[in-house]
């Protein structure tokens, strides 16, 4: 009987429940990945503690992840915030040093041009003011 009855063998509620289970499974994998990422990025734990948490999370995954989140969840967020602040500070330092180095190189080049006689003192002063204003 292929009169369309096969499509009705899987009711809408079953489709919804299947989608919910797939969503929860993907959510669980993301949570597990997040716990392992935090665990191995944490410098305050020694190797044995990391090994213990890893075994606990792998042997009893649901209980292990929930216990990890209860025991270390708040610190997990704090570590992530410190890591983001450090990355931003490093980026700002890089930009600051790059910008300063660029101006210094331009001024050095202008001095060389002036010393070789390629620029007059007036042209040098104008170019120097332009570089320092930027």
């Amino acid at each position: 009987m292929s009169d369309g009855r096969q499509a009705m063998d899987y009711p809408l509620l079953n489709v919804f429940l299947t989608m919910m289970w797939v969503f929860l499974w993907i959510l669980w994998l993301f949570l597990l990945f997040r716990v392992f990422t935090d665990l191995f990025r944490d410098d305050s734990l020694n190797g044995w503690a990391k090994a213990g948490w890893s075994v606990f999370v792998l042997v009893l995954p649901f209980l292990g992840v929930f216990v990890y989140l209860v025991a270390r969840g708040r610190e997990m967020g704090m570590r992530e915030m410190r890591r983001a602040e450090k990355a931003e500070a490093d980026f700002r330092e890089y930009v600051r040093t790059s910008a300063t180095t660029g101006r210094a190189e331009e001024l050095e080049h202008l001095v060389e041009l002036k010393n070789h006689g390629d620029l007059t003192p007036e042209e040098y002063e104008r170019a120097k003011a332009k570089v320092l204003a930027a």
Side-chain angles (χ1 to χ4, degrees):
M1 283 194 216
S2 58
D3 58 356
R5 254 187 102 168
Q6 287 178 342
M8 297 178 71
D9 288 343
Y10 203 68
L12 187 61
L13 180 61
N14 286 350
V15 171
F16 172 75
L17 290 175
T18 301
M19 286 175 40
M20 184 185 73
W21 282 113
V22 168
F23 174 75
L24 289 175
W25 184 73
I26 292 171
L27 184 68
W28 175 252
L29 286 178
F30 273 104
L31 187 60
L32 191 63
F33 179 75
R34 176 91 167 130
V35 165
F36 271 107
T37 302
D38 180 69
L39 180 63
F40 285 104
R41 283 185 177 173
D42 186 9
D43 293 332
S44 67
L45 291 177
N46 63 20
W48 287 108
K50 289 179 183 184
W53 275 111
S54 297
V55 167
F56 186 42
V57 168
L58 288 175
V59 172
L60 299 170
F62 292 108
L63 183 63
V65 167
F66 292 133
V67 169
Y68 186 87
L69 290 175
V70 168
R72 300 177 50 85
R74 179 174 297 183
E75 297 160 2
M76 199 171 162
M78 300 298 270
R79 280 189 296 276
E80 186 66 30
M81 189 170 18
R82 282 193 304 268
R83 198 173 298 118
E85 287 170 352
K86 183 179 180 334
E88 184 178 350
D90 290 346
F91 174 72
R92 289 183 185 276
E93 178 65 24
Y94 170 75
V95 168
R96 188 182 62 74
T97 57
S98 296
T100 304
T101 305
R103 286 186 188 158
E105 288 174 358
E106 286 183 52
L107 289 173
E108 185 178 310
H109 181 65
L110 287 173
V111 168
E112 287 177 17
L113 289 174
K114 180 183 153 199
N115 290 342
H116 288 156
D118 296 332
L119 288 178
T120 65
E122 295 82 24
E123 290 173 328
Y124 169 74
E125 289 301 325
R126 276 194 308 247
K128 183 173 94 171
K130 193 177 194 180
V131 168
L132 293 176

